[in-house]
Amino acid sequence: MRELSVDQISAAVSQLCIQANRQLPTDVRAGLWAALEAEDSFTARDVLEQLLENCAVAERDGMALCQDTGMAVVFCDLGQEVHVTGGALEEAIQAGVRRGYREGYLRPSVVADPLQRVNTGDNTPAIVHYAIAPGDSLTLTVAPKGFGSENGSALKMLTPSDGWEGVQQFVIETVARVGASACPPLVVGVGLGGTSEKAVWLAKKALLRELTAANPDPQYAAREAELLQALNGLGIGPAGWGGHTTALAVHIEPFPTHIAGLPVAVNLSCHALRHASVTL
């Protein structure tokens, strides 16, 4: 049994909140550069150049990539041989978010009640997803989720007879409906199967995959490529100004489901696909 203190956990979460909001992951930045090289629309190229400049300035000057510093989503993979000491794991994570958003001068964007709309002032509570894993380590991933893209999320309970054609149509219709409001170029997470809540979780988790990493199942890798081509044919383009780069990647995460169902969920990220991880 290995011990980890709540102070260690809070400090790690705090740093991850700041890092994720200021530094675009290397793979995402490389994806933007690749899009710039492939794009032949002058306007689209200009937008991509500005996005890349924004990334460089944010990292250089220690500033947030976007004014919407998101609702903090934390993925916590807890090794079954880890013992958390000094307090509760949940409170340690929430304390880390409070500290990170305060010390990083990141905008608090969370309201305490969906209808009363009073800001909590410290960007908590964060959304925390727990998973028990083998071993004696704790892996934390902080993924701030801005609501320009989050508001484009969608779930549909298809029937088995809808098949792949129904899934494909729903994903394309979702991206076309959202258009420029999700700040393209997008990364599109698709959760397929399970139950309604499992599909939505899968779609969110799909955004954490390495940008150029295709699904290991050749069937789904081919369908990701097919969807990406279709989405980039919509002509929405960077910031909605046209071009061939509406999406940087499509990631599908499938899961077994019921004989009577075909749940499909879509979760979108804007070009600033922010996340940072650490293993303690």
Side-chain angles (χ1 to χ4, degrees):
M1 185 67 69
R2 177 166 170 252
E3 293 189 347
L4 282 175
S5 74
V6 292
D7 290 339
Q8 289 175 273
I9 295 167
S10 291
V13 171
S14 172
Q15 182 56 42
L16 290 173
C17 288
I18 296 171
Q19 179 184 338
N21 271 293
R22 292 179 177 177
Q23 298 175 24
L24 199 63
T26 303
D27 61 319
V28 181
R29 194 173 308 192
L32 289 170
W33 277 110
L36 175 61
E37 292 173 1
E39 185 61 71
D40 55 17
S41 162
F42 174 82
T43 304
R45 288 180 57 84
D46 184 55
V47 172
L48 290 167
E49 287 171 351
Q50 291 183 55
L51 295 179
L52 285 161
E53 181 183 6
N54 180 73
C55 294
V57 170
E59 185 169 2
R60 183 192 69 208
D61 295 347
M63 300 172 65
L65 285 156
C66 177
Q67 52 82 26
D68 183 353
T69 53
M71 190 169 191
V73 179
V74 182
F75 292 88
C76 177
D77 295 333
L78 179 65
Q80 59 188 11
E81 301 301 325
V82 173
H83 177 218
V84 177
T85 64
L89 175 58
E90 173 75 18
E91 180 49 39
I93 292 172
Q94 299 294 347
V97 172
R98 281 193 291 270
R99 176 179 162 187
Y101 273 74
R102 182 182 68 251
E103 295 182 355
Y105 300 98
L106 305 172
R107 190 186 79 182
S109 302
V110 175
V111 295
D113 181 90
L115 297 179
Q116 298 300 319
R117 313 302 295 180
V118 177
N119 199 300
T120 64
D122 59 13
N123 222 57
T124 65
I127 306 298
V128 186
H129 298 289
Y130 293 99
I132 303 299
D136 62 356
S137 62
L138 170 65
T139 298
L140 296 160
T141 299
V142 173
K145 198 64 171 64
F147 264 59
S149 60
E150 186 68 7
N151 282 339
S153 305
L155 167 70
K156 190 167 187 178
M157 305 301 287
L158 298 176
T159 62
S161 62
D162 289 315
W164 168 244
E165 292 75 15
V167 173
Q168 185 179 40
Q169 180 179 355
F170 176 63
V171 175
I172 294 171
E173 287 177 351
T174 299
V175 173
R177 170 180 56 82
V178 173
S181 62
C183 302
L186 309 171
V187 180
V188 182
V190 180
L192 192 61
T195 52
S196 57
E197 79 277 12
K198 183 68 173 182
V200 171
W201 179 86
L202 287 167
K204 179 66 62 64
K205 190 71 182 292
L207 297 178
L208 300 181
R209 195 198 304 169
E210 189 84 11
L211 196 68
T212 57
N215 191 293
D217 184 332
Q219 168 194 193
Y220 285 105
R223 286 171 173 167
E224 289 173 344
E226 182 181 351
L227 268 175
L228 181 61
Q229 182 177 9
L231 295 178
N232 283 335
L234 292 174
I236 297 170
W241 289 103
H244 305 301
T245 318
T246 297
L248 298 175
V250 176
H251 294 162
I252 301 174
E253 290 295 328
F255 194 84
T257 193
H258 191 276
I259 57 173
L262 181 58
V264 56
V266 177
N267 195 254
L268 305 177
S269 174
C270 65
H271 70 277
L273 177 53
R274 299 168 292 183
H275 55 89
S277 302
V278 69
T279 298
L280 301 176

